[in-house]
Amino acid sequence: MNDSPFDTVCTILRTTLDMTDQDPIEPGTVLETLPNADSLRLLRTISALERKYDIELDDADIFKARTVADLTDIITKAMTTQVAPSAPRGLTGK
């Protein structure tokens, strides 16, 4: 079973911010208040999410995200609006 985008965001936040499973993360949690959160670690979080979902997030959207729910919404929107690049010609068998 696949994790929800919220669960994946939480997992990646825990990893990039060196958080424990006991550190609470709720949808309304303000990103800057998470343990060990600083601008560099939050950018690493964004980069990890982009790699995980093979998406590119808009910088303006990223800087508007205040909460974990905001970040999850941005990820979900990008997943539904971005199309994976098509395979180069010759690799599709056509």
Side-chain angles (χ1 to χ4, degrees):
M1 185 165 153
N2 292 335
D3 288 337
S4 71
F6 175 77
D7 291 335
T8 300
V9 168
C10 290
T11 298
I12 291 176
L13 280 167
R14 288 184 192 289
T15 300
T16 58
L17 300 180
D18 295 324
M19 295 173 62
T20 68
D21 289 339
Q22 288 73 40
D23 291 318
I25 301 178
E26 299 295 329
T29 302
V30 175
L31 294 167
E32 294 173 347
T33 65
L34 291 168
N36 305 316
D38 61 31
S39 59
L40 181 59
R41 286 181 182 223
L42 291 173
L43 285 174
R44 287 181 181 159
T45 300
I46 298 301
S47 179
L49 288 164
E50 288 177 324
R51 284 191 309 275
K52 167 75 176 169
Y53 289 113
D54 194 23
I55 57 175
E56 187 171 326
L57 301 175
D58 183 77
D59 290 345
D61 290 339
I62 293 168
F63 289 113
K64 289 179 190 173
R66 290 197 67 248
T67 66
V68 177
D70 293 341
L71 182 56
T72 303
D73 290 345
I74 291 167
I75 298 294
T76 303
K77 178 183 172 189
M79 289 172 22
T80 59
T81 60
Q82 293 182 21
V83 178
S86 56
R89 291 183 188 262
L91 298 179
T92 61
K94 294 181 181 180

